[in-house]
C-alpha cells in the first residue's frame, strides 16, 4: 500500500477491520491510452492460457476451471449464503460494521421516475434497458468470509469477460478471492439469467504489488452456463480506455454509475445509480470522483460515459472503487487507461 493518508471505504482489505487509503505519486499519472473503444471482435483461436498468465503487466489467478470446481462454487452459494454475504466494506471496527449491517433501513419502494436524473446521488434504477441485464451482483469468499460486490459484462472476443473492482478479485497484496460467482440482472434475490462462475481473475500488478487505488480494477473471465456465454445470454456494454484525457479530467465527464449498495441505508436487493460530472481526486490518486451516496456492495459497479438513459447502453470507463471516510458523499473510480486495456486484452483471450 502507498503512504497512508485519509482512511477510505469501499476499496478495502476484506480481512482487515481498517484500511487506510493509499496515495499514488503524481508522476504515476498514467498517460491517456490511444483511442480505443471495444466493439464486437472476431473470435480467433485462444492462445495458450498458461503463457498469457505469465505475461508482463498482468497478475492472474485461475478460479473454477474444472467441471468439479464449477459445480462446487455453485453448490457453495446456497440461498442462505447469498442472503448472508456482507458487502465488502471497511469500518472503524468489526462491531461497528456489524451494527451497520444489522441496522439497515427497511426497503423503500421508490416511485418510478419519469426519466433518470443527470445529477442523482443514489436512486433505484427503474428505467430498464440493457444495463439491468449486463450489471450484476458478485458473490465471493475472501479469507474465509463471504462478501458481495458488483460487476458488468463488457464486449469481448471471448464473450465472457466482466470488469469489476480490483478489491473484488484480490485483497490488495493479500489473498485472491474464491467461490467467485456472478448473477447478471440480480433483482430482489432473484437470478433471472442464472449464475456464472469465474474461471480466471486478472488485476494489474500495481494493485497486487502496492494495492494502489489508481489501479483498483479487475477483469473476470466466466465459464459458460449450459454451453452459453454470459454475453450471449444478456448482451454486453462497450468498454473504453481513452476517456480520461487531461482535458476531460480537468473539465469533468458526465457519468452514470451503477451498483448494488448493501450497507445502510441500502439493502443490496436492487440496482441503484448515481450520475453527475466528475472531478479529479486531490488525495493522491489518479481516480475521479462524482457525488454519490451509494455504499459498500456497489464496489466494482460500472461507470458509464456516453450513457443513453432510454436504452441503458453506454461505455464503461471506470468502476466504483472507494470513498474517503471524511467525505461519504463522493464516490471515486480509477481511470481505465493503458494498464486496464492491457489486462482486458489478456482476459478476452482466455
Amino acid at each position: 500500500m502507498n503512504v497512508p493518508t485519509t482512511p477510505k471505504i469501499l476499496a478495502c482489505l476484506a480481512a482487515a477491520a481498517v484500511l487506510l487509503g493509499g496515495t499514488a505519486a503524481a508522476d504515476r499519472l498514467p498517460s491517456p491510452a490511444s483511442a480505443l473503444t471495444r466493439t464486437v471482435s472476431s473470435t480467433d483461436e485462444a492462445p495458450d492460457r498458461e503463457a498469457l498468465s505469465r505475461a508482463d503487466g498482468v497478475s492472474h489467478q485461475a478460479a473454477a476451471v474444472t467441471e468439479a470446481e464449477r459445480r462446487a462454487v455453485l453448490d457453495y452459494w446456497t440461498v442462505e449464503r447469498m442472503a448472508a454475504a456482507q458487502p465488502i466494506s471497511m469500518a472503524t471496527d468489526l462491531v461497528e460494521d456489524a451494527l451497520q449491517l444489522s441496522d439497515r433501513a427497511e426497503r423503500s419502494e421508490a416511485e418510478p421516475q419519469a426519466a433518470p436524473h443527470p445529477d442523482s446521488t443514489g436512486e433505484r434504477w427503474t428505467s430498464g434497458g440493457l444495463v439491468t441485464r449486463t450489471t450484476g451482483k458478485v458473490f465471493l469468499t475472501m479469507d474465509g468470509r463471504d462478501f458481495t460486490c458488483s460487476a458488468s459484462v463488457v464486449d469481448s472476443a471471448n464473450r465472457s469477460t466482466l470488469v469489476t473492482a480490483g478489491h473484488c478479485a484480490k485483497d490488495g497484496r493479500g489473498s485472491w478471492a474464491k467461490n467467485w460467482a456472478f448473477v447478471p440482472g440480480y433483482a430482489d434475490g432473484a437470478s433471472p439469467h442464472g449464475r456464472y462462475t469465474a474461471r480466471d481473475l486478472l488485476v494489474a500488478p500495481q494493485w497486487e504489488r502496492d494495492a494502489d487505488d489508481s489501479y483498483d480494477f479487475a477483469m473476470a473471465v466466466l465459464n459458460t452456463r449450459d454451453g452459453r456465454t454470459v454475453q450471449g445470454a444478456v448482451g454486453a456494454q462497450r468498454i473504453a480506455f481513452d476517456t480520461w484525457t487531461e482535458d476531460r479530467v480537468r473539465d469533468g465527464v458526465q457519468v452514470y454509475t451503477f451498483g448494488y449498495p448493501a450497507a445502510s441505508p441500502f439493502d443490496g436487493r436492487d440496482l441503484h445509480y448515481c450520475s453527475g460530472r466528475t472531478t479529479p481526486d486531490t488525495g493522491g490518486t489518479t481516480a475521479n470522483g462524482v457525488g454519490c451516496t451509494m455504499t459498500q456492495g456497489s464496489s466494482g459497479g460500472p461507470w458509464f460515459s456516453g450513457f443513453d438513459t432510454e436504452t441503458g447502453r453506454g461505455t464503461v470507463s471506470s468502476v466504483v472503487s472507494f470513498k474517503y471516510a471524511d467525505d461519504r458523499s463522493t464516490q471515486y473510480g480509477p481511470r481505465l487507461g493503458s494498464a486496464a486495456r492491457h489486462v482486458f486484452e489478456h482476459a478476452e483471450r482466455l
Side-chain angles (χ1 to χ4, degrees):
M1 186 59 99
N2 300 315
V3 179
T5 54
T6 307
K8 294 176 183 173
I9 57 176
L10 293 186
C12 71
L13 299 179
V18 178
L19 172 65
L20 296 182
T23 61
D27 60 1
R28 291 187 183 179
L29 186 70
S31 301
S34 58
L36 173 64
T37 300
R38 295 298 308 185
T39 55
V40 176
S41 52
S42 61
T43 55
D44 297 329
E45 184 178 354
D48 180 69
R49 291 177 69 248
E50 290 302 318
L52 284 173
S53 69
R54 295 191 298 269
D56 291 337
V58 177
S59 297
H60 166 265
Q61 176 68 32
V65 177
T66 69
E67 180 59 34
E69 290 169 336
R70 294 192 288 269
R71 177 49 54 191
V73 172
L74 293 175
D75 289 346
Y76 180 84
W77 289 113
T78 62
V79 172
E80 293 75 19
R81 275 205 176 104
M82 291 172 70
Q86 300 179 5
I88 278 192
S89 61
M90 187 186 82
T92 55
D93 56 55
L94 293 179
V95 174
E96 180 182 350
D97 192 43
L99 289 174
Q100 288 178 345
L101 292 169
S102 63
D103 192 34
R104 293 176 184 161
E106 290 296 320
R107 181 183 181 215
S108 59
E109 296 296 331
E111 292 294 327
Q113 303 295 324
H117 305 302
D119 56 356
S120 170
T121 58
E123 302 172 75
R124 281 183 60 198
W125 179 258
T126 60
S127 296
L130 181 65
V131 70
T132 63
R133 301 192 300 276
T134 58
T135 311
K137 196 164 183 175
V138 173
F139 295 87
L140 62 108
T141 303
M142 194 86 76
D143 293 321
R145 297 175 61 189
D146 294 335
F147 293 102
T148 65
C149 277
S150 302
S152 177
V153 184
V154 289
D155 183 35
S156 62
N158 61 16
R159 301 175 64 82
S160 298
T161 300
L162 307 181
V163 63
T164 187
H167 67 272
C168 295
K170 191 177 188 301
D171 190 2
R173 289 178 289 184
S175 303
W176 285 90
K178 299 179 180 179
N179 298 322
W180 213 95
F182 176 67
V183 183
Y186 181 93
D188 196 15
S191 304
H193 308 290
R195 301 179 299 161
Y196 290 79
T197 59
R199 70 172 183 262
D200 294 281
L201 299 173
L202 301 92
V203 300
Q206 295 91 334
W207 178 254
E208 179 181 43
R209 182 179 63 243
D210 303 317
D212 188 334
D213 295 309
S214 298
Y215 298 87
D216 184 20
F217 51 78
M219 306 295 164
V221 181
L222 304 184
N223 291 300
T224 58
R225 178 177 179 273
D226 297 329
R228 195 176 188 189
T229 64
V230 67
Q231 184 170 334
V234 302
Q237 301 284 358
R238 296 184 298 271
I239 185 168
F241 306 98
D242 60 347
T243 300
W244 305 104
T245 63
E246 296 303 321
D247 288 345
R248 297 194 77 188
V249 168
R250 182 189 64 245
D251 298 338
V253 175
Q254 175 68 38
V255 296
Y256 282 75
T257 80
F258 289 82
Y260 288 88
S264 179
F266 303 94
D267 59 17
R269 297 181 183 179
D270 301 291
L271 185 64
H272 283 68
Y273 81 102
C274 292
S275 55
R277 296 195 70 83
T278 60
T279 56
D281 180 26
T282 59
T285 79
T286 61
N288 293 279
V290 67
C292 187
T293 61
M294 286 199 293
T295 57
Q296 298 93 324
S298 60
S299 288
W303 278 37
F304 291 101
S305 56
F307 186 72
D308 186 333
T309 57
E310 293 187 1
T311 64
R313 295 177 181 272
T315 300
V316 179
S317 302
S318 183
V319 294
V320 178
S321 177
F322 67 88
K323 288 185 174 183
Y324 287 101
D326 60 356
D327 180 13
R328 303 298 180 97
S329 64
T330 305
Q331 173 195 96
Y332 290 89
R335 301 183 185 188
L336 297 188
S338 57
R341 178 178 60 183
H342 191 64
V343 175
F344 171 78
E345 287 177 344
H346 283 76
E348 70 171 347
R349 294 169 62 190
L350 290 170

